[in-house]
Amino acid sequence: MSAIPRNQWYVAAYGTEIGRDLFARTICGEPILFWRTESGTVTANSDRCVHRRFPLSQAPSRLVGDQVVCGYHGFTYGPDGKCVAVPGQARVPRTARLTPYPVVEQDSFVWVWIGDPALADPARIPRAPYLDSADYTTVCGLEPLRARFSLLVDNLLDLSHETYLHGGYIGTPEVADTPISTEVDDDAGIVYVSRHMDDAECPPFYAKSTGLAGRISRWQDIEYTPPCLYKLHSRIAPVGSVPNPDGTDPDAFHVEVVYAITPETEHSTHDFWAVARDFALDDHEVSEFLAENNRTVVLQDVEALNVLEQVVQTEPPGYQELSINIDTGGLAARRMLARMAGQTPRNAPAERTR
Amino acid sequence: MSAIPRNQWYVAAYGTEIGRDLFARTICGEPILFWRTESGTVTANSDRCVHRRFPLSQAPSRLVGDQVVCGYHGFTYGPDGKCVAVPGQARVPRTARLTPYPVVEQDSFVWVWIGDPALADPARIPRAPYLDSADYTTVCGLEPLRARFSLLVDNLLDLSHETYLHGGYIGTPEVADTPISTEVDDDAGIVYVSRHMDDAECPPFYAKSTGLAGRISRWQDIEYTPPCLYKLHSRIAPVGSVPNPDGTDPDAFHVEVVYAITPETEHSTHDFWAVARDFALDDHEVSEFLAENNRTVVLQDVEALNVLEQVVQTEPPGYQELSINIDTGGLAARRMLARMAGQTPRNAPAERTR
Amino acid sequence: MSAIPRNQWYVAAYGTEIGRDLFARTICGEPILFWRTESGTVTANSDRCVHRRFPLSQAPSRLVGDQVVCGYHGFTYGPDGKCVAVPGQARVPRTARLTPYPVVEQDSFVWVWIGDPALADPARIPRAPYLDSADYTTVCGLEPLRARFSLLVDNLLDLSHETYLHGGYIGTPEVADTPISTEVDDDAGIVYVSRHMDDAECPPFYAKSTGLAGRISRWQDIEYTPPCLYKLHSRIAPVGSVPNPDGTDPDAFHVEVVYAITPETEHSTHDFWAVARDFALDDHEVSEFLAENNRTVVLQDVEALNVLEQVVQTEPPGYQELSINIDTGGLAARRMLARMAGQTPRNAPAERTR
């Protein structure tokens, strides 16, 4: 049975990836064709000609105005997927239509709905407004992950791994040492995990980008909306600084680390990552440093999770993990994802201490 | 269940491929060893030593006179597959014999019979005499196709794809636009598909080889004898020219395009192709041009079909194709192949217009 | 059902391979982590962190003193596999322990017990004392084999293949021509196969290492203790020379060829090989020659067996091998291995002549 929840919105691409060239990406096992019409709208249809299922993204298929022409036998489709021409006959069969996907461009992402289109409600798409806001500067990327998406969810919900896997970049001893608090909002469908370090070493990632010297107050507030959108609200400030009662926070640096976790197949994932900051907005060196540094961190995760995927695939049935306090958020996320996918959660914790 | 018909003749090789070196090719999933005896006869036997199934085509196995010696333990076999020597003992077990295959060399091809040898009737091998005739000059080749053979059958039975996949080589708008006529001879086991274009653009393939300038009369008469032999009788002539009542046709150029479609496995195919012409017989430039051009066209098909094979292998169960008029010949071929393989045909057309 | 016997000792490594770096090897499908403690003892534990199964051999996991620290979240383990520290909390769950493996270092090998640790009896480990003796000089190596271990057992139990697969190295016509005698000691769990050639060509392997010119007396006495340890006692002497009644054998050269045959998975094998000699003990040129020559011979086997593995994996069900006299030892070994694995032996011989 699939571990991938259907009837959900998923990030398929950055808006900047889709233009006037045919663009294909597999989302939740479904091959989808994208292009931007001459008026600028993103279209999403199944990437298979209805005739002999040739991929419409495959050369010599091509975009002509607002229509795609199949490179095998010339079946031609409009942006809504409707077939408008076939070879050798004037009549176009009325059932000749690509499956269209509900699609919304928002917060720099292109979201598609996987599942029953009748259930698609754009208002339910979670937001990440920083990525598209003049008050922030954002660097971003996309890495292919040859691992099931749940391994990336586990990874991001438990940041104690920063200390070990990302030492020298974003990890310091305090991350693993500081207890977390977890909150699950089942109605809103959100898992919150917070770790506030009041007196911590400043890792290079933040020292070089903020210019802060010495020890810091470092807050990590995770807000994960399963299945796709993960936000880490990161606050870096001098030790002792706290936000004002009115919410302003002039002494602090804020970084919004956003991941879109999109299953490509049951065993591979599109790992979208973005880092938005509210300081040094025009400083290209800071942008380059954060882009390079965060990509390195993402690739450390990718390498580890690619290994884990192989481990999971070859492990004997009935294998039991052992969970501890740090896993509370990840286990809550697993339960929510399993419910969404109509499954029972894998690997209930063998032992937990509270 | 296998989609490959058994109790059928298949082209295993060009006669020129088989000489005094051990030669192996997998036909319909069966690994077969070929060599030519000192007297010039082609032999065909299973490519597995009866002892520990070492491939007899694998070094250091070797041909000694008219016998093959296994490179692992020295079991030795004659051209009829009978074992004549084993190591360490004088007595050769009487059951020690390679499985021999009925084999016929004809029309430049080496044909083997896959199935029950008692049913093998050489008179049933379909003919392509042009390939071996002094009245024609032939260029030919063989491309490995990582796709099931039925995808190549589909491809060749519906030439409307020439317009899209082979534009600039053999495709012009008229091919896709001109309706076909289809005829099925169930007794003879032949599918005929004809497309006669009376006033068509001359594609480079024919313009450069015939020297015809301007528009042409172009006839495509397909004669497919499932499972293996496909012949396209191609007639190119000035507009208005027709053959004489006595069958002579002095103003026209005739090209016989022959494909032998031989399954290697369930998901890969030997794509033999040959182009025989009745003009410019000694013109090496024309030969080189046709060989190079046709190989390019074949490789365009191979690339497209390799992609399609991946598509078919990953598509969800119950996927439905949509067929139209151009598919009439291909669908007839599928029905015939399914009957030969003891199957029901896949994907009955969802809608057809007549 | 697995063909790999459990509750058995297997060679996991040469002792020289394991030091103060984390070392991983998969034995019988089980990923095992090795390191040598500061006091010099080899440890063996499962190579999976109990928390999220990250391989402890995978960077950035690292050895700190006598403890291994997981590179993902910092779980820390002692040499006995017991977890001594976890992140974010002081209490270590009592069930947090790697699975330890019984391990013995002996005769230059590191042996591990695969199966129920309660049954592990170090006294049952078969011996190869030459490999670690001052009276012998040994060259050795390890080649990865992408074939099931039983194909290597077949190979080594029937040396008639030397004549064909290893001609020019260790094979001469006499090996295949000379009958063998086989003896099975079911109580001790040993298969003996002997071939004594009293007047044989001297192959380059022995001619160049011993300096013997002309024909020789060549004895091959195989002693195989399934599943793992294979010893070939090889005696090379001038024609007519025999050992003295007291066991001394001053005119002969003795070579102990040892293989440890360790399944990595159901379809891959660690092929350990060693050549110990009782002559030219300090002659580096002889050592280099024998190492290079034997490695070439091993790689000839590896190439052939890798091919055979592919053959076996693609052959139709019910395939029957044909066995003859030379296979008596191999068939006895198969029966013993099948009994150890709780199986019925594969491919009973179709015909045997005695």
Side-chain angles (χ1 to χ4, degrees), chain C residues 79-134:
Chain C
D80 57 358
K82 280 201 182 141
C83 185
V84 296
V86 301
Q89 64 190 58
R91 186 176 163 272
V92 175
R94 68 186 153 68
T95 58
R97 182 174 187 178
L98 308 175
T99 305
Y101 287 81
V103 59
V104 172
E105 194 169 1
Q106 184 172 278
D107 298 336
S108 87
F109 289 134
V110 173
W111 293 83
V112 290
W113 174 262
I114 301 295
D116 179 356
L119 304 177
D121 176 5
R124 283 182 51 203
I125 301 175
R127 302 299 306 261
Y130 348 96
L131 304 187
D132 208 14
S133 157

Side-chain angles (χ1 to χ4, degrees), chain A residues 247-280:
Chain A
T248 59
D249 194 15
D251 295 340
F253 299 83
H254 300 90
V255 175
E256 302 288 341
V257 183
V258 177
Y259 284 83
I261 304 164
T262 301
E264 179 188 40
T265 66
E266 295 290 334
H267 300 111
S268 61
T269 302
H270 304 295
D271 183 353
F272 296 89
W273 59 267
V275 176
R277 69 183 187 272
D278 70 353
F279 57 90

Side-chain angles (χ1 to χ4, degrees), chain C residues 34-260:
Chain C
F34 301 88
W35 79 82
R36 204 175 277 278
T37 63
E38 292 184 327
S39 66
T41 307
V42 174
T43 67
N45 289 285
S46 53
D47 187 26
R48 296 289 180 263
C49 181
V50 299
H51 174 229
R52 288 293 175 267
R53 62 201 132 175
F54 192 73
L56 295 166
S57 59
Q58 174 82 21
S61 299
R62 64 190 195 283
L63 192 60
V64 177
D66 275 353
Q67 299 178 335
V68 60
V69 181
C70 179
Y72 198 180
H73 298 93
F75 278 56
T76 302
Y77 304 89
D80 57 358
K82 280 201 182 141
C83 185
V84 296
V86 301
Q89 64 190 58
R91 186 176 163 272
V92 175
R94 68 186 153 68
T95 58
R97 182 174 187 178
L98 308 175
T99 305
Y101 287 81
V103 59
V104 172
E105 194 169 1
Q106 184 172 278
D107 298 336
S108 87
F109 289 134
V110 173
W111 293 83
V112 290
W113 174 262
I114 301 295
D116 179 356
L119 304 177
D121 176 5
R124 283 182 51 203
I125 301 175
R127 302 299 306 261
Y130 348 96
L131 304 187
D132 208 14
S133 157
D135 298 334
Y136 289 79
T137 295
T138 300
V139 295
C140 64
L142 166 58
E143 308 303 332
L145 176 65
R146 293 186 299 280
R148 62 197 67 191
F149 81 106
S150 61
L151 290 175
L152 182 54
V153 174
D154 282 356
N155 174 282
L156 292 172
L157 269 286
D158 172 13
L159 295 182
S160 70
H161 79 271
E162 291 184 353
T163 304
Y164 298 92
L165 197 54
H166 307 306
Y169 293 88
I170 54 175
T172 69
E174 293 84 4
V175 182
D177 288 348
T178 307
I180 54 166
S181 67
T182 302
E183 197 187 315
V184 179
D185 183 338
D186 274 314
D187 291 336
I190 300 177
V191 177
Y192 299 93
V193 179
S194 289
R195 176 183 276 114
H196 287 199
M197 297 163 271
D198 291 329
D199 184 357
E201 191 184 315
C202 189
F205 185 82
Y206 289 117
K208 293 200 188 160
S209 57
T210 65
L212 280 182
R215 296 183 69 82
I216 56 169
S217 167
R218 180 181 181 188
W219 294 2
Q220 298 178 320
D221 291 289
I222 293 170
E223 181 184 350
Y224 172 48
T225 311
C228 191
L229 193 70
Y230 170 98
K231 293 178 281 190
L232 167 62
H233 310 291
S234 180
R235 178 184 181 274
I236 306 296
V239 171
S241 155
V242 291
N244 295 327
D246 66 358
T248 59
D249 194 15
D251 294 340
F253 299 81
H254 299 90
V255 175
E256 303 289 341
V257 183
V258 177
Y259 284 83

Side-chain angles (χ1 to χ4, degrees), chain A:
Chain A
M1 187 192 180
S2 173
I4 301 176
R6 294 177 63 80
N7 294 324
Q8 298 292 339
W9 290 101
Y10 287 96
V11 170
Y14 290 109
T16 51
E17 292 184 280
I18 298 176
R20 293 290 297 158
D21 291 317
L22 295 170
F23 178 88
R25 186 160 282 157
T26 295
I27 306 294
C28 301
E30 306 196 7
I32 307 182
L33 174 72
F34 301 88
W35 79 82
R36 204 176 278 278
T37 64
E38 292 182 328
S39 66
T41 307
V42 174
T43 68
N45 288 287
S46 54
D47 187 25
R48 297 287 181 264
C49 181
V50 300
H51 175 230
R52 288 294 176 266
R53 63 199 133 174
F54 192 72
L56 295 166
S57 60
Q58 175 82 19
S61 299
R62 64 189 196 283
L63 192 60
V64 178
D66 274 353
Q67 297 178 336
V68 61
V69 182
C70 179
Y72 197 2
H73 299 94
F75 277 58
T76 303
Y77 305 89
D80 58 357
K82 279 199 181 142
C83 185
V84 296
V86 301
Q89 63 189 59
R91 183 174 166 276
V92 175
R94 68 183 153 70
T95 58
R97 182 173 187 178
L98 307 176
T99 304
Y101 287 81
V103 60
V104 171
E105 195 170 0
Q106 185 172 278
D107 298 335
S108 87
F109 289 133
V110 173
W111 293 82
V112 291
W113 174 261
I114 300 296
D116 180 355
L119 304 176
D121 176 3
R124 282 182 52 203
I125 301 175
R127 303 299 306 263
Y130 349 94
L131 304 186
D132 209 12
S133 158
D135 298 333
Y136 289 79
T137 295
T138 299
V139 295
C140 65
L142 166 58
E143 310 302 331
L145 177 64
R146 294 187 298 280
R148 62 197 67 190
F149 80 108
S150 61
L151 290 175
L152 183 53
V153 174
D154 282 355
N155 174 281
L156 291 172
L157 269 286
D158 173 13
L159 296 182
S160 68
H161 80 271
E162 292 185 352
T163 304
Y164 299 94
L165 198 53
H166 307 307
Y169 294 87
I170 54 175
T172 69
E174 293 84 5
V175 182
D177 288 347
T178 307
I180 54 165
S181 67
T182 302
E183 199 186 312
V184 180
D185 183 338
D186 274 313
D187 292 335
I190 301 177
V191 177
Y192 299 93
V193 180
S194 289
R195 176 183 278 115
H196 287 200
M197 297 162 271
D198 291 327
D199 183 359
E201 192 184 316
C202 189
F205 186 81
Y206 289 117
K208 292 198 188 161
S209 58
T210 64
L212 280 182
R215 297 183 70 82
I216 56 168
S217 168
R218 180 179 182 188
W219 294 1
Q220 298 179 319
D221 291 290
I222 294 170
E223 182 184 348
Y224 172 48
T225 311
C228 191
L229 194 69
Y230 171 98
K231 293 177 283 191
L232 168 63
H233 310 292
S234 180
R235 178 183 181 272
I236 305 296
V239 172
S241 156
V242 292
N244 294 326
D246 65 357
T248 59
D249 194 15
D251 295 340
F253 299 83
H254 300 90
V255 175
E256 302 288 341
V257 183
V258 177
Y259 284 83
I261 304 164
T262 301
E264 179 188 40
T265 66
E266 295 290 334
H267 300 111
S268 61
T269 302
H270 304 295
D271 183 353
F272 296 89
W273 59 267
V275 176
R277 69 183 187 272
D278 70 353
F279 57 90
L281 296 186
D282 299 321
D283 190 325
H284 290 298
E285 276 185 37
V286 169
S287 290
E288 272 176 44
F289 169 77
L290 288 176
E292 175 65 23
N293 219 252
N294 204 68
R295 182 161 186 266
T296 300
V297 164
V298 169
L299 291 177
Q300 288 169 336
D301 282 332
V302 164
E303 185 184 352
L305 299 182
N306 287 353
V307 167
L308 267 190
E309 176 65 32
Q310 294 309 309
V311 166
V312 174
Q313 286 193 21
T314 55
E315 86 192 355
Y319 183 92
Q320 280 286 336
E321 294 177 343
L322 183 142
S323 295
I324 57 171
N325 291 351
I326 55 171
D327 300 307
T328 315
L331 295 173
R334 284 188 190 180
R335 281 189 295 269
M336 217 177 261
L337 288 166
R339 213 157 47 224
M340 286 176 163
Q343 297 190 316
T344 48
R346 69 171 159 98
N347 277 335
E351 166 159 359
R352 280 165 61 199
T353 58
R354 284 166 215 269

Side-chain angles (χ1 to χ4, degrees), chain B residues 326-345:
Chain B
I326 54 171
D327 301 306
T328 315
L331 294 173
R334 284 188 192 181
R335 281 189 296 269
M336 215 176 264
L337 288 167
R339 214 159 44 227
M340 285 176 163
Q343 295 191 317
T344 49

